[in-house]
Amino acid sequence: MLARYTVMKTGVKISFAALLLICSLASFANSPIGAPVEVHQRISPRTATIAKPTVALTLDACGGQYDADIIRLLITYNVPATIFVTKKWMDHNHAGMQDLLAHPELFQIEDHGAEHIPAVVGVGRRVYGILGQPDMAHLHREIEVAAADIRNASHRNVSWYRGATAEYDRAAINEIEKMGYKIAGFSVNADAGATLTRRAVADRLSRIKDGDIVIAHMNKPRGDTAEGFGDALPQLLARGFKFVTLNDVQVQEIR
Ligand SMILES: [Zn+2]
């Protein structure tokens, strides 16, 4: 009786160990190895442009509020931009969304996710302290829920995705591309998440070059981003800069 009990107990132990092994192997398979990467891109020189220098301006609406000043500025100067919105920004900023939708000739609205969760996949993985996605199913949901809302609002296709924090696992990049989305990188960070001063934003913008893809933010009206753009934009236009949306060009990754 004692012997039989020992055998059974050992059997249970073995099964439990095997289960642990299977679980850890499964979680290993779901956890992409390696640090997240920031995707840097420029406009491809293969893009046929009608004028040079040409720059793609991209603005993120992560969450928070609507910086109407920067959108009014772009409308005033007839400057197109690609706008990356989250579902949570859309849900709380109807006036901002209406302003964007009222100018389809200027604003290409694209996907910044449902809840602004970084595209790093695996339980406990973080970027800048922000939790990523536990698994690929959650990454799919983050992308597709926002894309559906943008399609419904704009009656346009959504073909670009920029993840929160603009950092990605290699496995997430592969998955996003498999879903049919192009990842929107950048070459110039104009406002560091709307934290830079007016002068710093204007200074960074004044140094942009042909082919640059600029990232800035339109969700923090108390920041200085709009003011910096207000100082720099007229000068850039006077210098002959032409602004395009991402759908107007091909992009290439830079190292
Ligand atoms: Zn963001």
Side-chain angles (χ1 to χ4, degrees):
M1 192 66 191
L2 182 64
R4 194 177 167 205
Y5 173 78
T6 308
V7 169
M8 278 181 68
K9 197 176 167 197
T10 309
V12 169
K13 267 187 186 167
I14 288 166
S15 301
F16 185 64
L19 189 67
L20 271 180
L21 181 66
I22 290 163
C23 288
S24 61
L25 282 174
S27 109
F28 179 79
N30 285 334
S31 301
I33 306 301
V37 293
E38 197 170 76
V39 175
H40 292 164
Q41 293 168 337
R42 291 175 56 79
I43 296 172
S44 166
R46 290 196 304 274
T47 302
T49 52
I50 50 173
K52 282 179 183 280
T54 302
V55 167
L57 176 60
T58 70
L59 296 176
D60 290 0
C62 310
Q65 297 167 296
Y66 169 43
D67 192 346
D69 288 349
I70 192 163
I71 294 302
R72 284 198 204 106
L73 189 74
L74 297 182
I75 294 168
T76 300
Y77 287 101
N78 207 31
V79 168
T82 309
I83 315 285
F84 288 89
V85 298
T86 63
K87 174 177 167 51
K88 68 176 183 177
W89 185 86
M90 283 187 278
D91 288 347
H92 291 102
N93 292 281
H94 291 286
M97 199 61 188
Q98 289 311 311
D99 282 355
L100 297 178
L101 291 170
H103 294 277
E105 77 288 1
L106 290 181
F107 303 127
Q108 177 191 327
I109 306 173
E110 298 289 343
D111 191 339
H112 198 32
E115 298 292 335
H116 204 250
I117 297 171
V120 295
V121 181
V123 174
R125 285 176 66 81
R126 291 170 186 268
V127 181
Y128 305 123
I130 306 169
L131 264 181
Q133 302 286 6
D135 51 40
M136 285 298 180
H138 281 79
L139 178 67
H140 273 246
R141 189 188 170 283
E142 171 80 2
I143 297 169
E144 294 294 12
V145 166
D149 275 14
I150 297 165
R151 270 188 227 107
N152 286 339
S154 68
H155 308 292
R156 281 181 168 187
N157 197 21
V158 176
S159 45
W160 294 84
Y161 178 68
R162 174 178 285 151
T165 75
E167 299 232 3
Y168 310 80
D169 284 332
R170 188 48 67 182
I173 290 174
N174 293 342
E175 191 68 21
I176 294 161
E177 289 175 345
K178 217 163 71 184
M179 291 169 70
Y181 294 93
K182 290 180 270 191
I183 292 182
F186 60 92
S187 59
V188 172
N189 186 341
D191 70 348
T195 63
L196 297 185
T197 62
R198 174 180 192 156
R199 192 167 171 177
V201 172
D203 181 56
R204 287 189 178 192
L205 288 171
S206 72
R207 287 185 278 120
I208 61 175
K209 296 184 177 63
D210 179 46
D212 271 328
I213 298 173
V214 177
I215 186 175
H217 290 75
M218 53 158 285
N219 63 318
K220 293 181 181 168
R222 278 192 283 268
D224 270 2
T225 300
E227 289 75 7
F229 269 76
D231 291 343
L233 210 49
Q235 294 180 28
L236 290 168
L237 291 167
R239 285 163 58 194
F241 275 85
K242 175 183 164 56
F243 291 88
V244 293
T245 65
L246 291 179
N247 275 349
D248 295 330
V249 295
Q250 294 178 45
V251 303
Q252 65 178 27
E253 200 162 333
I254 52 172
R255 302 286 169 193

